[in-house]
Amino acid sequence: MKYVLVSGGVVSGLGKGVTASSVGVVLKACGLRVTSIKIDPYLNIDAGTMSPFEHGEVFVLDDGGEVDLDLGNYERFLDVTLTKDNNITTGKIYQSVLEKERRGDYLGKTVQVVPHITDAIKDWIESVAVIPVDGREGPADVCVIELGGTVGDIESMPFIEALRQLSFSLGPDNFCLIHVSLIPVLGVVGEQKTKPTQHSVRELRALGLTPHLLACRSAEPLLQNTKDKLSQFCHVPINNILNIHDVPNIWHIPLLLRNQNAHHSILQQLNLLGNATPPDLQQWTEMAEKYDNLTESVRIAMVGKYVGLTDSYLSVVKALLHACVARSLRPSIAWIAASDLEDDSAKSTPEAHAAAWETLKSAACVLVPGGFGDRGVKGMMLAAKYARENNVPYLGICLGMQISVIEFARSVLGWERANSVEFDAQTPNPVVIFMPEGSRTHMGSTMRLGSRRTFLQTPHCITSKLYGNSEYVDERHRHRYEVNPDLIGTLEEAGLKFVGRDESGKRMEILELPSHPFYVGAQFHPEFKSRPGRPSALFLGFILAATGKLEAQISRHQNGS
């Protein structure tokens, strides 16, 4: 197994995840099989209990792993299916070591960071690296590891030491280190500054790791004298200094790396030049250039709770992008804080209230994504009601589906206090209830998680047609509340149809309103399986409906064209 380690310095948020994903894309384009590991130095066991404001979205894998959003980048870029073990956290490592200590596995030894924690990290990396993730048998050729945080962080020290030991035991031909750093330009001087990168590399070398390549983040392309200084003071050959400057969209990053012969430097370091072909990035180039040249757009109202940090909905944004590009459109996302739509907001912040409603009414379609807690729920219901009553295409995901059921029960059935027990435990009409097998005492990994099968109840529904008339679909879940099966008969008699259910028939997975052009709710998260060039069926249908082309597209499909 060959390893490429991507570390970061100077500041966080430089795009290590996109860099690591792009390195994987270029190596894959050279004919190699690639897998990925993300190391997060925080103490949480996984990302499941972390606030989206704190850490962006929680990405969900097929096996139910709640992981860092960078694994979503890896899956989308590399078109692989990762496991929860591909995300290593300090919490997972310490938990595994302490469990061994309690069992007596260390035979009375004093358990220490070195060697026990570092050995556990190395063992974890080497065992996960050989798990096939691309649907083929046998291990990959290269494992790309991203080390979260920045060099010098106290919490990442055990990982750096473990990776130093790993690089030594593997030998120089099996380990390549790419260090991502910032080259700032000070406004007053206007000069590209190399000193922060010099300090970062010095810190890395002091810890026993020497970078083979530098990936320099900057607003503009690096000047030649900047590269010369970096090469001289960081002990990195000038051909191995890569510049990842700002680009129109992130699909250009693999092309930037290819154009700077990054693949040659990496393959040379890993002694893989004889095993690789020249990188074939033709489709990737077409995709990046197509997006740059799009002129028409579609306006999408995104009504959510965490709109202050767009990374909270990263996969939804990417799924919209994939669907829009497939229809030669640019996504124009209008972010609306759900609470701004509420009646209370009209009194407390009238300007924000008026602006939110104006934005909603100017959109071609409305999307309500997932979330937890009751903040903004009334605003989401108002958005769902507006879309339902005005024949505006609506897509509700997870909480967004539950919102549409509550709103329908209140407005159409006249159940004024209909609600989810999550928001009102005493509601006389509990249309959304707690899952019977859920835990009320533990939060982590106690939801309905991962890939589950949904059976489509009729071939005549929009969803079935969008999924190619399949009898079932496998999509990823993340929820602990669900539509009350005891009330389904009443809701369906009133016109709301539950066209997708689980194998028991009691869990409602997909709803549609047949009298509406496109009013769809999904209890699962279709955004997690969307890929560039292969958009999610529901998102594609949503965009088709927003542009008035859904019926024509479905007719063409059914006629076999």
Side-chain angles (χ1 to χ4, degrees):
M1 177 63 65
K2 309 279 187 176
Y3 294 88
V4 175
L5 172 63
V6 178
S7 63
V10 184
V11 293
S12 58
L14 284 178
K16 291 191 302 298
V18 174
T19 303
S21 303
S22 300
V23 166
V25 167
V26 176
L27 293 177
K28 190 177 175 182
C30 291
L32 299 173
R33 293 174 63 198
V34 180
T35 184
S36 289
I37 293 174
K38 171 70 191 292
I39 294 174
D40 282 304
Y42 48 68
L43 273 169
N44 304 62
I45 301 296
D46 56 38
T49 57
M50 296 169 74
S51 163
F53 283 126
E54 185 96 8
H55 206 70
E57 77 169 4
V58 176
F59 190 80
V60 180
L61 301 170
D62 265 8
D63 66 1
E66 296 174 280
V67 295
D68 185 85
L69 56 80
D70 279 320
L71 275 82
N73 279 328
Y74 304 157
E75 285 207 343
R76 284 186 289 269
F77 270 57
L78 298 172
D79 197 12
V80 295
T81 303
L82 300 173
T83 74
K84 57 188 171 189
D85 289 338
N86 289 80
N87 191 191
I88 304 174
T89 70
T90 299
K92 285 181 179 178
I93 295 294
Y94 274 78
Q95 186 181 53
S96 68
V97 169
L98 290 173
E99 282 174 356
K100 285 183 179 180
E101 187 273 334
R102 291 291 83 186
R103 285 199 306 264
D105 290 11
Y106 296 115
L107 300 174
K109 297 265 187 198
T110 302
V111 181
Q112 296 175 287
V113 173
V114 181
H116 301 101
I117 295 295
T118 51
D119 282 353
I121 294 167
K122 288 187 292 181
D123 292 345
W124 194 303
I125 289 171
E126 292 188 283
S127 62
V128 171
V130 297
I131 298 172
V133 295
D134 56 3
R136 293 156 64 185
E137 291 185 2
D141 301 307
V142 180
C143 177
V144 180
I145 305 170
E146 180 196 345
L147 176 61
T150 53
V151 172
D153 293 347
I154 289 173
E155 57 262 36
S156 63
M157 289 300 182
F159 291 102
I160 288 179
E161 171 58 20
L163 290 162
R164 181 197 67 76
Q165 293 178 20
L166 185 67
S167 69
F168 180 72
S169 62
L170 290 170
D173 286 354
N174 298 311
F175 191 86
C176 177
L177 172 53
I178 303 173
H179 189 58
V180 183
S181 186
L182 177 68
I183 305 294
V185 173
L186 299 183
V188 181
V189 185
E191 179 188 356
Q192 292 178 339
K193 292 293 186 183
T194 64
K195 195 65 74 177
T197 300
Q198 291 179 43
H199 285 307
S200 183
V201 171
R202 187 181 304 154
E203 176 92 16
L204 197 57
R205 289 166 64 87
L207 295 168
L209 286 169
T210 300
H212 301 106
L213 293 91
L214 284 181
C216 301
R217 289 283 289 111
S218 61
E220 300 293 333
L222 289 186
L223 300 173
Q224 187 58 45
N225 72 323
T226 306
K227 285 189 172 186
D228 292 340
K229 283 176 72 175
L230 286 168
S231 177
Q232 183 178 359
F233 293 113
C234 298
H235 296 258
V236 174
I238 201 156
N239 290 337
N240 289 9
I241 294 174
L242 312 172
N243 181 207
I244 304 177
H245 54 78
D246 292 352
V247 287
N249 68 73
I250 61 169
W251 292 339
H252 280 280
I253 305 298
L255 307 178
L256 264 184
L257 295 176
R258 188 270 316 270
N259 294 343
Q260 296 175 70
N261 279 321
H263 55 285
H264 186 274
S265 299
I266 296 167
L267 295 170
Q268 189 173 42
Q269 174 60 36
L270 295 176
N271 197 23
L272 280 174
L273 281 171
N275 303 57
T277 59
D280 178 10
L281 286 166
Q282 182 63 33
Q283 281 186 303
W284 200 274
T285 304
E286 289 170 5
M287 187 171 67
E289 290 177 352
K290 179 182 179 181
Y291 180 59
D292 287 345
N293 295 321
L294 294 177
T295 53
E296 294 184 32
S297 64
V298 57
R299 191 165 170 80
I300 306 151
M302 179 94 86
V303 184
K305 300 174 60 165
Y306 314 115
V307 295
L309 178 67
T310 56
D311 268 5
S312 304
Y313 302 113
L314 185 63
S315 290
V316 175
V317 172
K318 297 300 181 189
L320 288 170
L321 173 66
H322 302 159
C324 286
V325 170
R327 304 305 306 164
S328 298
L329 294 165
R330 276 182 176 271
S332 173
I333 299 175
W335 297 92
I336 302 173
S339 53
D340 286 346
L341 294 170
E342 296 173 5
D343 295 340
D344 292 345
S345 174
K347 300 169 189 172
S348 57
T349 52
E351 288 181 5
H353 179 263
W357 274 102
E358 185 180 339
T359 303
L360 182 68
K361 290 177 178 179
S362 67
C365 51
V366 177
L367 193 155
V368 178
F372 296 91
D374 62 356
R375 184 174 57 81
V377 162
K378 291 178 184 174
M380 293 178 201
M381 281 190 223
L382 289 167
K385 183 176 183 178
Y386 167 79
R388 181 178 59 79
E389 292 181 343
N390 293 279
N391 284 339
V392 175
Y394 175 88
L395 178 59
I397 298 171
C398 198
L399 175 62
M401 170 182 165
Q402 297 171 7
I403 289 293
S404 61
V405 178
I406 298 167
E407 188 280 319
F408 188 87
R410 289 184 180 187
S411 302
V412 179
L413 293 173
W415 299 347
E416 292 182 8
R417 285 191 57 201
N419 216 330
S420 165
V421 295
E422 180 183 7
F423 314 133
D424 179 6
Q426 307 304 319
T427 174
N429 305 109
V431 293
V432 178
I433 59 171
F434 194 78
M435 286 193 321
E437 73 272 38
S439 169
R440 293 185 182 274
T441 56
H442 285 67
M443 300 289 279
S445 291
T446 57
M447 290 185 269
R448 184 168 162 82
L449 290 164
S451 184
R452 307 292 180 106
R453 184 153 290 181
T454 294
F455 291 89
L456 296 164
Q457 305 299 298
T458 167
H460 305 298
C461 65
I462 287 175
T463 305
S464 175
K465 293 168 184 174
L466 288 171
Y467 276 107
N469 296 316
S470 299
E471 292 181 7
Y472 62 84
V473 294
D474 294 322
E475 295 280 10
R476 297 176 184 177
H477 293 65
R478 184 176 186 254
H479 64 98
R480 56 166 53 90
Y481 293 86
E482 59 194 22
V483 179
N484 188 344
D486 296 339
L487 303 179
I488 297 308
T490 309
L491 289 163
E492 291 210 314
E493 281 174 23
L496 201 62
K497 300 300 179 188
F498 292 89
V499 300
R501 306 187 182 196
D502 78 337
E503 65 279 357
S504 72
K506 294 181 178 178
R507 279 200 164 98
M508 303 304 123
E509 297 281 13
I510 308 169
L511 69 78
E512 288 184 13
L513 195 58
S515 59
H516 193 285
F518 188 92
Y519 194 87
V520 177
Q523 187 59 74
F524 50 75
H525 290 264
E527 67 270 22
F528 291 141
K529 285 194 171 183
S530 181
R531 300 283 182 268
R534 202 170 68 249
S536 158
L538 288 185
F539 278 86
L540 186 59
F542 180 56
I543 297 302
L544 284 166
T547 52
K549 296 176 181 173
L550 178 61
E551 285 187 26
Q553 180 73 9
I554 286 176
S555 298
R556 273 203 300 274
H557 247 296
Q558 289 182 317
N559 295 333
S561 59

